[in-house]
Amino acid sequence: MPSFPIIDSHVHLYDPTWLRYSWLKRAPKLDRRFDLTDFDRCRAGVQVDKLVFAEVWVDQGLHFAEAAWVQGLADADARLAGMIAHAPLEKGAGVEADLDRLGQHPALRGIRRLIEIEVDISFCLQPAFLEGLRLLPARDLCFDICVKHWGLVFAIELARRCPEVRFVLDHIGKPGIRDELVEPWKCQLRELARLPNVVCKLSGVITEADHGHWSKEQIRPYVEHVLDCFGFERVMYGSDWTVSELTHDYPVWVAILDEITTGCSAAELESLWRGTAIRTYRL
């Protein structure tokens, strides 16, 4: 395990008795309140210095309430140092009011508008979406891209069309690990990494494998390719907790990354476990 406290750049917290998350009905194991008390129990002996909340696909129209609830948690526990909130960027210039309201929360560091859930994910390249996206730099906000591997082409195009926006690729682009798919994810990830305005989260990887029959050996090549493409200075650790609970306990992912990076320099490990998240999310 890392010998110093780490930063978790991707944690989900929610309370379905307070807000509605329709997708949880399809994941009964996760369909209950998960807060920082649960996080502390699940992280076991892993030292986590700070964490960043990532929006949890709350039902439409509830993103302001979700952000307010998370800010309340952050006010009570300084470890919750950043929030990636939902905003409907497809409203174009009209999303400015959403961003202003969300910006009243001191923890706000970025925006995520889920792309992978749409039937036609090309919507993210429509003029209105791009117009909304381009409002983020003036507020010092980044954008988290969440797509499955077949949507990486849209991630590349977003980053190309908006070079002024800072992007974070969630879950390494969700490669098809379960089906042992490597291409075109491998080539497209390298293409995306050539764009200097993109960093990548080593998060949500195991859940892309077969939930009941995955192995460290199966995961390793995907992690190593990410590190080779982006370098340690543009990669950050994320647990994707609570979704990670579907496949593994919290310390398992930490131990796998620790094993894969054995022999790396102190500076490289600091970037992976802390530095990239600090720089990206202004922690």
Side-chain angles (χ1 to χ4, degrees):
M1 292 293 185
S3 60
F4 50 85
I6 66 177
I7 292 177
D8 190 336
S9 69
H10 203 94
V11 171
H12 299 300
L13 305 165
Y14 50 88
D15 184 356
T17 68
W18 174 243
L19 297 173
R20 295 190 305 276
Y21 305 84
S22 296
W23 70 271
L24 285 175
K25 301 305 177 186
R26 302 190 297 275
K29 183 178 180 179
L30 305 179
D31 192 10
R32 66 170 181 84
R33 178 185 171 103
F34 281 93
D35 58 20
L36 290 170
T37 300
D38 297 290
F39 178 77
D40 285 335
R41 173 179 51 80
C42 291
R43 69 179 172 84
V46 179
Q47 299 179 70
V48 180
D49 183 33
K50 296 178 182 179
L51 52 95
V52 177
F53 165 84
E55 62 89 21
V56 199
W57 193 8
V58 70
D59 283 9
Q60 188 173 1
L62 297 177
H63 57 293
F64 294 130
E66 178 183 56
W69 183 74
V70 172
Q71 184 61 56
L73 297 179
D75 291 341
D77 192 328
R79 291 178 302 167
L80 183 43
M83 177 199 319
I84 307 158
H86 167 89
L89 295 180
E90 62 270 29
K91 290 168 64 174
V95 80
E96 193 159 14
D98 294 68
L99 298 177
D100 288 343
R101 187 169 171 182
L102 291 169
Q104 295 174 8
H105 299 301
L108 186 69
R109 295 294 186 271
I111 296 297
R112 185 167 84 156
R113 167 44 169 108
L114 284 175
I115 296 173
E116 69 172 24
I117 62 172
E118 300 295 329
V119 174
D120 179 8
I121 63 174
S122 67
F123 87 102
C124 68
L125 298 181
Q126 295 303 310
F129 192 96
L130 297 175
E131 184 179 24
L133 195 57
R134 290 172 178 139
L135 294 173
L136 302 185
R139 292 168 167 78
D140 204 8
L141 299 174
C142 58
F143 181 74
D144 271 43
I145 303 174
C146 191
V147 294
K148 294 186 181 295
H149 58 94
W150 41 263
L152 265 179
V153 62
F154 295 98
I156 294 167
E157 196 60 30
L158 274 180
R160 280 179 176 160
R161 295 191 189 187
C162 302
E164 71 279 21
V165 177
R166 290 178 291 123
F167 292 94
V168 181
L169 179 66
D170 290 348
H171 315 324
I172 71 169
K174 294 194 170 185
I177 301 175
R178 182 186 61 183
D179 299 317
E180 299 182 348
L181 297 178
V182 176
E183 297 292 2
W185 171 83
K186 191 173 182 179
C187 288
Q188 290 176 337
L189 194 81
R190 189 170 296 280
E191 186 176 357
L192 184 63
R194 292 192 183 104
L195 302 174
N197 56 328
V198 185
V199 300
C200 184
K201 276 184 192 174
L202 275 171
S203 61
V205 179
I206 296 175
T207 47
E208 296 309 307
D210 187 312
H211 287 193
H213 300 90
W214 63 272
S215 68
K216 289 188 296 183
E217 292 70 26
Q218 187 183 26
I219 300 299
R220 177 185 282 270
Y222 293 89
V223 173
E224 291 178 337
H225 184 65
V226 170
L227 293 172
D228 181 58
C229 288
F230 282 92
F232 282 86
E233 69 279 2
R234 292 169 60 206
V235 170
M236 68 180 88
Y237 160 77
S239 66
D240 197 27
W241 186 86
T242 59
V243 177
S244 58
E245 290 290 303
L246 294 174
T247 54
H248 61 282
D249 293 334
Y250 190 98
V252 169
W253 180 229
V254 177
I256 289 174
L257 290 183
D258 187 48
E259 180 180 324
I260 291 174
T261 56
T262 296
C264 293
S265 71
E268 289 171 331
L269 295 177
E270 193 278 337
S271 287
L272 168 63
W273 296 109
R274 296 183 58 85
T276 304
I278 290 172
R279 293 187 296 271
T280 302
Y281 292 126
R282 298 183 283 114
L283 306 179

